Amino acid sequence: MLICEDISFDIDGQKLFSNINLNIKPQKDLLITGPSGVGKTTLLSILCGIQKPTTGKITYNSIDLYNLPENKIDEFRGKNLGVVFQNFNLINTFTVKQNLEIAVSAIDTKKSIPFFNILDRVGLANKSHIKVANLSIGEKQRLAVARAFVGDPKWVFCDEPTSSLDDKNANIIANLIKEESLRCKASLVLITHDSRIQTLIKFSKILKLGDEL
Amino acid sequence: MIVGITIITVSILVNQVTKETFSKNNPGLDAVVGAKGSPLQLILSSIHHIDIPTGNISYKNARKIIKHPAIKSAIPISLGDNFQNFRIVGTNKSFLKLYKANLISGTAWSQPMQAVIGYNVSKITKLKINKFFVGSHGLIDTGDVHAEQPYKVVGVLKKTGTILDNLILTSLDSVWNLHSVTNKDKLEITSLLLKYKNKTSSFSFPRLINKGTNMQAASPSFEISKLLKLTGNAHRIVDYLSVLIMILSFLGILFTLLNNINERKYDLAVLRTLGFSRWKLFSIILSEGMIISILGSTIGLIFGYIVYESMYYFSIVGRSLELGQLSFLNDLFLIWIIVNIIAFITCLVPCIKVYKQNIRSTLLNS
């Protein structure tokens, strides 16, 4: 279970958001919406252990995330969380397959990863040896999703996964995220200001930043 | 880095082997008496068989020195010919005792035109017992041979690790016969290798020879230390140069790594988001730097050794040098360790930069 208590974040002494309380049960999902600039991406970074909050506590199954040493936070993220970043954060000089391989090497798993199956599921099986720099936006988005799920995470965070895509590709990505979450039995936290997402995925909870839960 | 280590390696090897060789080639001789000229030249030609002799001295005068009360032992040598660049030394059997030489096969010479050959001579020229060879006039093979009077190999010496391995020894009579010197009053030798009865003679005896005769007496230890001091300065300049190259190499590694992580800071931040810890990235960058350093320094050592070996085998001077018991390996290993410790410290700078990287701001700025 993911529990956030009284999360707040200040930038240069100015409050970006405060008193955010969340409680996400296993295999449940949460949609975080709000207009640009309210701190959605910052909140996601906080939840993923990338950005320490100004105040508050985040616990994953009783593990106080920011009470862990920095190295352990990185390791925890690699082993338990899958993140689809807004700008994908793929390594452009690597091939499609290498991007998955490097993600797997970070989690130090001993089980063999069926890369072909994963790429097949996201429709990139025939592009495994192509460099990321040569992929289209939609393909990069699919690869970012594939990478987020490659280690079978327990919590998945997606930042604006459909906002730069047309309706057709948005549909593909939303379905993909939904299917992969179900396959991994992962809780999903999705952040977007794209209003189409709610028609594509049914969320059990919705948080509008600035509004009450 | 490879260039720097190569130069340092060659410098150390040449320096050490030169010192070791000079020390091993002198079996405790106190002085060399020969024709007037450069004392260093006399020592180099008579003991180390590198340079050409300063000239000849009368054997009659030499015999007076042999009988001098200050002299414990005196061994005459006569140079002038060679076989395939290996010097033929006319001397007496005391020369073999002086170097504690033992025979692998055969015996010492008992008649003129019989020769005992050193270990390297036998190995390189393939001469064996009972084989004949003809000497060439001069100390370097010019092709002007004494074809009418060949030498017969009667003995082969065991390896000594000294200049003896590169010499062909024969009796003084052989040299005199070969050069058709029959008048006993006109017999000449190149020099006399002396040991004093008392070390205090090392001051008075050379003065006696240098002022009272047309010969000179030179001290091997004094002349060689003078030479090593001179070459030591050259070595030091080479060493400074190689240290400068090494410093540039370290700066090269530092800036390469810094530039590398600057170009890859986004990728490194992505790796952090994927679960690579700070320490893991720290160790990856450190490994990259250390692989460059270890490979560079090891290749440099190997190159240095190859350059040195080439110098050894392809120079005529090199034939008069003998590799020691690899005692220099300790020095090279120490340098290898020091270089890699400095490289390790240098690599820490970019590693710390990676360790301190703020992944969120890096990703946002990218």
Side-chain angles (χ1 to χ4, degrees):
Chain A
M1 182 182 288
L2 165 61
I3 300 169
C4 304
E5 297 169 74
D6 295 327
I7 302 293
S8 67
F9 189 75
D10 297 353
I11 297 176
D12 300 330
Q14 295 283 313
K15 278 228 176 311
L16 185 62
F17 49 76
S18 61
N19 299 325
I20 291 188
N21 292 284
L22 293 171
N23 186 335
I24 304 166
K25 290 180 180 163
Q27 297 184 54
K28 296 293 179 189
D29 39 44
L30 166 71
L31 175 68
I32 301 172
T33 62
S36 295
V38 292
K40 298 190 297 296
T41 299
T42 304
L43 179 58
L44 182 131
S45 297
I46 290 169
L47 295 175
C48 296
I50 291 172
Q51 175 72 59
K52 198 175 179 184
T54 309
T55 61
K57 186 174 161 188
I58 293 164
T59 52
Y60 284 92
N61 291 347
S62 316
I63 296 169
D64 186 348
L65 185 63
Y66 287 101
N67 220 12
L68 295 173
E70 285 255 18
N71 286 311
K72 294 286 172 196
I73 293 176
D74 292 330
E75 285 172 18
F76 180 85
R77 183 170 50 248
K79 283 180 181 162
N80 300 285
L81 313 185
V83 189
V84 180
F85 293 94
Q86 187 173 5
N87 53 355
F88 320 127
N89 286 351
L90 297 166
I91 299 177
N92 288 320
T93 50
F94 281 17
T95 65
V96 167
K97 194 177 173 206
Q98 283 169 338
N99 267 274
L100 296 188
E101 285 170 340
I102 194 87
V104 171
S105 71
I107 56 179
D108 225 9
T109 179
K110 280 186 181 141
K111 66 177 181 184
S112 65
I113 305 294
F115 292 110
F116 182 81
N117 291 354
I118 295 165
L119 289 173
D120 194 37
R121 284 203 294 274
V122 297
L124 291 173
N126 59 346
K127 299 207 168 183
S128 64
H129 295 292
I130 289 177
K131 287 208 169 159
V132 167
N134 299 323
L135 298 179
S136 69
I137 297 286
E139 286 169 336
K140 283 182 183 173
Q141 188 65 279
R142 278 184 274 153
L143 176 59
V145 172
R147 189 184 62 180
F149 287 95
V150 76
D152 291 343
K154 292 289 154 263
W155 292 273
V156 174
F157 299 86
C158 301
D159 189 5
E160 303 282 7
T162 55
S163 52
S164 58
L165 303 176
D166 57 29
D167 286 351
K168 187 186 162 198
N169 274 312
N171 194 20
I172 292 169
I173 293 297
N175 281 326
L176 198 57
I177 290 169
K178 202 162 65 180
E179 284 164 15
E180 288 295 300
S181 301
L182 285 171
R183 186 183 63 78
C184 296
K185 295 175 182 164
S187 302
L188 173 66
V189 177
L190 196 146
I191 288 175
T192 189
H193 68 273
D194 184 359
S195 55
R196 294 173 299 176
I197 201 81
Q198 287 185 65
T199 61
L200 299 168
I201 302 175
K202 282 280 175 217
F203 287 93
S204 51
K205 275 185 184 176
I206 297 173
L207 167 68
K208 266 193 159 182
L209 268 190
D211 292 359
E212 285 183 4
L213 191 63
Chain B
M1 173 165 286
I2 293 174
V3 175
I5 291 276
T6 304
I7 295 172
I8 288 181
T9 306
V10 173
S11 172
I12 285 179
L13 288 176
V14 170
N15 204 6
Q16 293 240 3
V17 172
T18 308
K19 271 184 196 164
E20 210 168 280
T21 306
F22 279 134
S23 133
K24 278 170 100 180
N25 283 349
N26 181 1
L29 292 170
D30 295 317
V32 176
V33 173
K36 281 201 188 293
S38 155
L40 177 61
Q41 190 182 339
L42 178 63
I43 298 298
L44 291 177
S45 60
S46 297
I47 299 179
H48 304 287
H49 297 274
I50 296 171
D51 211 341
I52 54 166
T54 47
N56 284 336
I57 56 171
S58 144
Y59 188 51
K60 197 175 161 189
N61 290 339
R63 287 176 67 84
K64 287 179 193 163
I65 295 171
I66 294 169
K67 287 175 186 161
H68 193 278
I71 301 304
K72 183 181 166 194
S73 71
I75 300 169
I77 62 164
S78 187
L79 304 172
D81 292 339
N82 78 91
F83 174 66
Q84 293 182 13
N85 290 319
F86 289 105
R87 292 185 177 196
I88 299 170
V89 182
T91 184
N92 60 31
K93 288 172 191 166
S94 301
F95 193 89
L96 294 171
K97 282 182 196 158
L98 182 70
Y99 282 95
K100 298 185 177 75
N102 292 309
L103 290 150
I104 299 176
S105 56
T107 56
W109 63 90
S110 53
Q111 291 173 34
M113 303 318 291
Q114 289 185 338
V116 169
I117 59 174
Y119 181 84
N120 291 347
V121 181
S122 153
K123 210 172 149 189
I124 294 169
T125 63
K126 311 289 181 204
L127 280 175
K128 288 190 176 93
I129 299 281
N130 295 328
K131 293 274 179 187
F132 289 89
F133 67 93
V134 286
S136 297
H137 195 69
L139 297 175
I140 295 171
D141 198 354
T142 53
D144 178 13
V145 296
H146 298 290
E148 69 290 353
Q149 284 176 290
Y151 285 99
K152 183 185 179 186
V153 180
V154 294
V156 178
L157 295 172
K158 277 187 185 169
K159 190 171 176 64
T160 60
T162 66
I163 189 61
L164 196 60
D165 297 341
N166 296 334
L167 297 179
I168 297 169
L169 306 176
T170 186
S171 65
L172 286 168
D173 288 332
S174 305
V175 178
W176 291 328
N177 287 353
L178 204 62
H179 296 94
S180 311
V181 186
T182 47
N183 185 342
K184 285 198 172 180
D185 289 337
K186 288 193 173 173
L187 292 178
E188 286 185 330
I189 58 168
T190 304
S191 56
L192 266 178
L193 310 178
L194 303 181
K195 279 188 183 181
Y196 299 129
K197 278 183 185 158
N198 194 321
K199 295 290 174 194
T200 50
S201 304
S202 55
F203 297 106
S204 54
F205 188 79
R207 206 175 303 138
L208 178 78
I209 298 293
N210 294 339
K211 287 195 173 168
T213 70
N214 60 351
M215 298 177 281
Q216 66 163 329
S219 158
S221 55
F222 177 73
E223 295 302 328
I224 293 303
S225 66
K226 223 164 60 176
L227 175 68
L228 290 177
K229 208 172 170 185
L230 279 171
T231 55
N233 287 336
H235 278 299
R236 257 190 296 282
I237 291 168
V238 173
D239 288 345
Y240 290 145
L241 183 69
S242 45
V243 166
L244 183 71
I245 294 170
M246 293 302 302
I247 290 169
L248 291 175
S249 312
F250 292 130
L251 288 175
I253 291 179
L254 176 66
F255 288 114
T256 303
L257 286 179
L258 282 175
N259 190 40
N260 208 349
I261 61 162
N262 210 30
E263 279 175 5
R264 293 190 303 167
K265 64 180 178 187
Y266 166 77
D267 292 346
L268 292 168
V270 170
L271 292 181
R272 288 277 307 280
T273 67
L274 295 175
F276 281 90
S277 66
R278 287 166 186 260
W279 276 116
K280 208 164 182 176
L281 294 183
F282 184 98
S283 57
I284 289 171
I285 301 296
L286 188 61
S287 307
E288 283 180 5
M290 289 313 292
I291 285 170
I292 295 172
S293 165
I294 289 170
L295 273 181
S297 54
T298 307
I299 293 171
L301 283 188
I302 295 168
F303 272 13
Y305 195 78
I306 291 170
V307 170
Y308 166 75
E309 282 284 320
S310 309
M311 283 163 58
Y312 176 73
Y313 281 110
F314 293 111
S315 77
I316 293 169
V317 173
R319 282 203 175 174
S320 300
L321 296 173
E322 185 64 37
L323 273 174
Q325 300 297 310
L326 301 181
S327 57
F328 49 79
L329 278 182
N330 289 341
D331 286 335
L332 293 183
F333 185 62
L334 187 68
I335 283 187
W336 189 88
I337 299 254
I338 290 170
V339 163
N340 284 299
I341 287 174
I342 296 171
F344 178 84
I345 294 165
T346 309
C347 289
L348 287 179
V349 177
C351 289
I352 289 168
K353 203 176 169 194
V354 168
Y355 186 85
K356 287 185 170 174
Q357 187 182 30
N358 182 319
I359 51 175
R360 181 162 151 74
S361 62
T362 306
L363 292 175
L364 281 176
N365 292 334
S366 299

